[in-house]
């Protein structure tokens, strides 16, 4: 019964266009009213306590690092480097896109920002070289959503904080699945373009390749600092985030000199606004999460799916299908925030490794960024690359399929995630 | 009047820039001090968290003014102009209700937050938790003004298209993923 | 006279902690007294928010109960800072006598003034030090050691006063920080050193007993006052039943954890009475510095009680 109140009030408010954060607050109000414990202080206290968490500080710092990476010319150097490496292969620009996407993913945690940078540079080049434009746009969108799976990742931080799972462990566990997504995209790309009439870029002379690599070295140093620092235990994820931002600022300002000091306030303001939007949502979700817990809703759901508790693989398949459906209509952060408090108690009861579940859950919500009707990354590619949304949606189909296959492969073979995670941690 | 309001939001934006920069500097200095000088600032963990709270809740009002909070527009986009306006009215009423509850709860909780101090800086916690007054009131005022214009037929076409998520800027898109 | 009551008890720790045994015993006692009408629903691992947040929820009458250690609450009741003072109690017997006696009542009054009814003092226990450098047998051994402490003024001052580099750090990051030698040492009860596997990445454990932390079984005064006298006394009496079970289990578990730590090849040492006295002596500046904040009458009172006990 309480479950029904939760679902109806939340979906009802969102359906009439209430922003998700306010809809979550509304859902909280309705829940406590229906439980006979209406008290305005529940809203006030949980809202603010939600933001008063040191770990979450990683979010603004990684957002800032990502903004500085784009504004400071680091993204451009990474793409040039990928072109120098594999641009001359047949279908090479597609491989360039994925290679650059993976490198950028290991610096930034934002799918939209990465995708925008890739689309702005690569779609015109791919069009000129005779590639099918919607398909190229689809590939870039699919590459962009690797960002939250490979660390650093805002999605992992939000999940880790609301599920009480180690963010360091989530980061380490995301690396291999993220790379698998990249490999799957490259393979799919080579399959779909094998009959196309396309020209490869001329092979760059050795001197030029060395130069592009040299220029990109500063940018390539960033993942080493972030992952190396966390892996070696020198810094916590929060501290790694601030070091990454400082590094991107330094490289953008003094090495690449593409970031004039007068533009800095604008970059910081944009990062601050993005932070506020995400964090306000996190806070509102903690209100409804508190009430979901107090109302024992997970126990209610466990009652319905009792038979699945003893069959973890089947349970995972069911949950992944549900998340795929939810992901068609809901953005990444709200999906994580709404489903985590409901699912985590069930996952624990079924004895599924929370880190493993976290990686698959995040991967699934990232795939949701590519599914209509609400697929933010599709909108980004369509806007930046000037390709109609409908065509991008068709173009992304084979790559979307590839990522779903990767997802379910990992559902069937959990060791593909767990073994490398253990080795890396 | 409009000029005063614009100036007010300029001030808020400067505050946001200050909060984020100060947080970053405090945490960064602490990392450097821990490794470089084997020491640290005890206040920086605490103060950076409080800046974070203020950043979030001041920014939430600015974002609300700019229609930047994430919504699901799947259904409302299907409606005609009249249907959209009805949804906007309903939506603003819900937003006003929950924000007023947020304000009210902050009010009722004020005594217990005023009588608690933070562990390191000894700041009375009402300075942190009291931000609910600003955010609750700010959102209620903005939404009331919108509701008034919706009911008196003075809503602009830009607002309607912002409501159904048309022509979103790249900045707004990047807040969503 | 008993009504149906669902009492939500928030816990920052996990269900396998001895507090779980205490709550089980308390529930059994409540069932007998109330005929099953008073029900405790425990939430573990901070599912209803951190200890401080839950305590604030009690004060505002939003939630019924919380089991929390004293340290997070010093911002609300400064007198509780007395338990952060180094080397206050020397043994379990001293701690029990002081907590369950007039001094415990004194603090209960202060808690009540803040809107909190303390049903009984349970136990988190004595904190000890583990490190990767050398056995700590005297305060000088701590010089230059990087020690993780809780984010708490008195703890920071205590270790800085011994010349250590005291660093506050989130609990979740401690294991990997010890493993990678980013920090040398940490301090916690034996049970925590065991369950968090710190002993796997540390070479030495020293029984410093530098602080004793009680757990408080707090009830919202706003809600408690609406209960019938029968319900109130049942809760108080059964909280004491739970307390006795919890203390017994946690002390047994401490012994078991210590055995496990030893069996893992970690070198364990205790302080000689002389060195213990020197550490206490050295720490007097910390007492002086924080006496004002905690309340001079509170510090004097507990020290007088302890002095009397030690004379006998
Ligand atoms: Na990333
Ligand atoms: Na979608």
């Amino acid at each position: 019964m309480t479950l029904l109140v939760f679902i109806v009030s939340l979906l009802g408010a969102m359906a009439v266009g209430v922003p998700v954060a306010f809809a979550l607050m509304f859902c909280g109000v309705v829940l406590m009213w229906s439980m006979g414990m209406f008290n305005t202080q529940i809203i006030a206290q949980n809202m603010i306590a939600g933001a008063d968490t040191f770990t979450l500080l990683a979010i603004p710092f990684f957002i800032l690092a990502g903004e500085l990476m784009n504004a400071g010319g680091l993204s451009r150097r990474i793409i040039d480097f990928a072109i120098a490496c594999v641009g001359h292969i047949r279908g090479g620009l597609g491989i360039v896109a994925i290679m650059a996407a993976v490198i950028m993913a290991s610096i930034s945690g934002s799918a939209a920002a990465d995708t925008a940078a890739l689309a702005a540079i690569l779609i015109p080049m791919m069009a000129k070289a005779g590639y099918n434009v919607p398909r190229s746009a689809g590939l870039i969108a699919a590459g962009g959503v690797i960002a939250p799976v490979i660390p650093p990742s805002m999605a992992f931080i939000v999940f880790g904080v609301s599920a009480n799972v180690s963010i360091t462990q989530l980061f380490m566990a995301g690396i291999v699945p993220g790379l698998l997504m990249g490999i799957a995209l490259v393979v799919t790309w080579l399959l779909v373009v094998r009959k196309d009439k396309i020209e490869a870029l001329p092979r760059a002379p050795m001197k030029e390749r060395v130069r592009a690599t040299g220029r990109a070295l500063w940018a390539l140093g960033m993942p080493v600092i972030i992952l190396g620092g966390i892996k070696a235990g020198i810094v916590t994820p929060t501290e790694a985030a601030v070091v990454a931002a400082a590094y991107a600022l330094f490289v953008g300002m003094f090495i690449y000199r593409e970031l004039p000091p007068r533009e800095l306030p604008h970059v910081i303001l944009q990062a601050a606004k993005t932070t506020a939007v995400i964090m306000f949502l996190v806070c509102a979700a903690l209100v409804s999460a508190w009430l979901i817990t107090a109302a024992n809703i997970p126990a209610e759901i466990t009652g319905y799916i009792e038979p699945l508790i003893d069959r973890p693989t089947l349970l995972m398949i069911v949950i992944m299908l549900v998340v795929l459906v939810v992901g068609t209509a809901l953005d990444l952060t709200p999906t994580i925030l709404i489903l985590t408090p409901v699912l985590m108690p069930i996952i624990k009861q079924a004895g599924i490794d929370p880190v493993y579940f976290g990686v698959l859950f995040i991967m699934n919500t990232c795939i949701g960024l590519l599914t209509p009707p609400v697929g933010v990354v599709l909108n980004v590619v369509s806007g930046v690359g000037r390709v109609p949304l409908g065509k991008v949606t068709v173009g992304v189909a084979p790559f979307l399929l590839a990522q779903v296959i990767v997802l379910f492969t990992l559902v069937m073979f959990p060791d593909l995630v767990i073994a490398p995670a253990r080795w890396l941690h | 009047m409009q000029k005063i309001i614009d100036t007010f939001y300029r001030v808020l934006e400067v505050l946001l820039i200050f909060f984020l920069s100060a947080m970053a500097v405090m945490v960064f200095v602490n990392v450097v001090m821990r490794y470089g000088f084997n020491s640290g600032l005890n206040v920086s963990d605490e103060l950076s968290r409080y800046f974070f709270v203020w950043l979030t809740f001041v920014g939430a009002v600015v974002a609300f003014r700019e229609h930047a909070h994430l919504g699901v527009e799947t259904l409302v986009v299907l409606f005609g102009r009249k249907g959209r306006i009805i949804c906007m009215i309903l939506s603003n009423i819900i937003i006003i209700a929950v924000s007023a509850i947020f304000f009210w709860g902050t009010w009722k909780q004020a005594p217990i937050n005023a009588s608690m101090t933070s562990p390191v800086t000894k700041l009375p916690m009402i300075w942190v938790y009291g931000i609910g007054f600003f955010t609750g009131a700010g959102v209620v005022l903005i939404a009331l003004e919108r509701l008034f214009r919706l009911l008196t037929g003075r809503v602009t076409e830009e607002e309607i298209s912002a409501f159904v998520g048309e022509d979103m800027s790249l900045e707004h898109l990047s807040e969503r993923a | 006279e008993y009504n149906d009551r669902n009492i939500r008890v928030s816990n920052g720790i996990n269900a396998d902690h001895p507090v779980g045994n205490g709550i089980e015993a308390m529930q059994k006692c409540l069932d007998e007294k109330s005929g099953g009408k008073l029900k405790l629903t425990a939430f573990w691992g901070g599912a209803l928010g951190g200890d401080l947040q839950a305590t604030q929820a009690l004060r505002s009458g939003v939630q019924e109960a919380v089991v929390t250690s004293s340290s997070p609450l010093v911002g609300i009741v400064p007198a509780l800072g007395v338990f952060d003072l180094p080397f206050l109690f020397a043994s379990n017997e001293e701690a029990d006598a002081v907590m369950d006696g007039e001094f415990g009542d004194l603090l209960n009054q202060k808690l009540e003034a803040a809107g909190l009814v303390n049903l009984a003092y349970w136990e988190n226990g004595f904190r000890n030090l583990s490190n990767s450098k050398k056995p700590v047998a005297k305060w000088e051994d701590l010089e230059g050691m990087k020690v993780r402490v809780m984010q708490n003024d008195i703890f920071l001052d205590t270790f800085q006063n011994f010349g250590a580099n005291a660093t506050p750090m989130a609990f979740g990051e401690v294991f990997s920080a010890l493993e990678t030698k980013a920090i040398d040492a940490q301090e916690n009860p034996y049970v925590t050193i065991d369950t968090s596997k710190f002993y796997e990445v540390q070479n030495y454990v020293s029984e410093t007993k530098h602080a004793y932390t009680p757990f408080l079984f707090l009830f919202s005064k706003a809600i408690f006052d609406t209960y019938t006298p029968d319900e109130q006394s049942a809760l108080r009496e059964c909280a004491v039943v739970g307390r006795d079970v919890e203390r017994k289990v946690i002390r047994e578990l401490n012994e078991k954890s210590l055995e496990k730590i030893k069996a893992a090849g970690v070198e364990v040492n205790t302080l000689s009475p002389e060195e213990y006295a020197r550490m206490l002596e050295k720490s007097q500046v910390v007492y002086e510095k924080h006496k004002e904040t905690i309340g001079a009458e509170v510090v004097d009172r507990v020290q007088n009680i302890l002095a009397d006990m030690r004379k006998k």
Side-chain angles (χ1 to χ4, degrees), chain A residues 63-120:
Chain A
I63 291 173
L64 190 58
E67 297 269 348
L68 289 167
M69 175 180 88
N70 281 342
L74 278 76
S75 307
R76 164 95 239 175
R77 302 303 192 291
I78 291 169
I79 295 172
D80 286 348
F81 167 70
I83 292 172
C85 288
V86 289
H88 58 278
I89 302 172
R90 214 186 103 84
L93 278 175
I95 308 174
V96 165
I98 299 309
M99 183 174 160
V102 167
I103 297 174
M104 284 160 75
S106 61
I107 298 176
S108 115
S110 156
D114 285 13
T115 312
L118 289 168

Side-chain angles (χ1 to χ4, degrees), chain A residues 18-211:
Chain A
V18 177
V20 183
F22 295 98
L24 281 161
M25 289 166 79
F26 177 70
C27 160
V29 171
V30 175
L31 267 178
M32 66 186 187
W33 182 69
S34 78
M35 287 156 67
M37 50 180 287
F38 183 86
N39 189 330
T40 57
Q41 298 177 75
I42 293 179
I43 306 287
Q45 202 198 7
N46 285 291
M47 284 293 286
I48 314 270
D52 188 8
T53 308
F54 189 75
T55 315
L56 287 172
L57 254 73
I59 290 179
F61 298 155
F62 277 130
I63 291 173
L64 190 58
E67 297 269 348
L68 289 167
M69 175 180 88
N70 281 342
L74 278 76
S75 307
R76 164 95 239 175
R77 302 303 192 291
I78 291 169
I79 295 172
D80 286 348
F81 167 70
I83 292 172
C85 288
V86 289
H88 58 278
I89 302 172
R90 214 186 103 84
L93 278 175
I95 308 174
V96 165
I98 299 309
M99 183 174 160
V102 167
I103 297 174
M104 284 160 75
S106 61
I107 298 176
S108 115
S110 156
D114 285 13
T115 312
L118 289 168
I121 301 169
L122 285 176
I123 290 183
M125 287 179 74
M126 293 174 89
K128 207 171 139 208
Y131 290 83
N132 175 325
V133 172
R135 187 187 285 150
S136 309
L139 177 77
I140 287 170
V145 304
I146 298 175
V149 180
I150 291 183
S153 156
M154 254 79 78
F156 279 145
I157 295 167
V158 171
F159 173 78
V161 166
S162 41
N164 210 356
V165 175
S166 158
I167 289 160
T168 306
Q169 282 186 36
L170 284 167
F171 274 14
M172 294 306 151
I175 298 174
V176 169
L179 292 175
L180 285 179
M181 284 170 91
I183 293 169
L185 289 181
V186 170
V187 171
T188 315
W189 170 255
L190 291 176
L191 279 176
V192 295
V193 295
R194 70 183 185 280
K195 287 187 184 147
D196 288 9
K197 285 201 181 71
I198 41 176
E199 22 173 316
L201 293 182
R203 177 190 281 270
M206 202 53 193
K207 216 171 109 195
E208 172 55 33
R209 294 162 106 185
V210 172
R211 219 169 69 182

Side-chain angles (χ1 to χ4, degrees), chain B residues 42-154:
Chain B
N42 295 342
V43 295
S44 93
D45 269 24
E46 197 170 285
L47 214 53
S48 52
R49 265 187 350 221
Y50 298 159
F51 278 22
F52 189 35
V53 172
W54 293 326
L55 168 73
T56 301
F57 286 89
V58 170
V61 175
V62 176
F64 184 64
R65 182 182 187 232
E66 296 172 359
H67 301 275
H69 286 290
L70 323 185
V72 178
E73 296 89 4
T74 321
L75 203 62
V76 289
V77 79
L78 303 176
F79 294 134
R81 192 171 187 278
K82 204 170 170 194
R84 290 176 180 186
I85 289 180
I86 292 172
C87 283
M88 287 173 86
I89 293 172
L90 281 174
S91 160
N92 275 298
I93 291 173
I94 290 179
I95 291 170
I96 290 168
V98 295
S99 304
I101 286 174
F102 184 23
F103 184 93
W104 182 14
T106 308
W107 175 259
K108 280 180 71 179
Q109 260 216 328
I112 70 162
N113 286 320
S115 65
M116 177 172 82
T117 57
S118 67
V120 180
T121 52
K122 308 290 177 204
L123 185 76
M125 291 304 281
I126 187 70
W127 285 98
V128 181
Y129 282 70
I131 192 71
F133 287 131
F134 175 82
T135 308
V139 172
V140 167
L141 287 177
I142 296 170
L144 270 178
E145 191 260 353
R146 282 181 190 161
L147 189 62
F148 173 74
R149 281 188 295 108
L150 279 162
L151 293 171
T152 53
R154 275 183 266 186

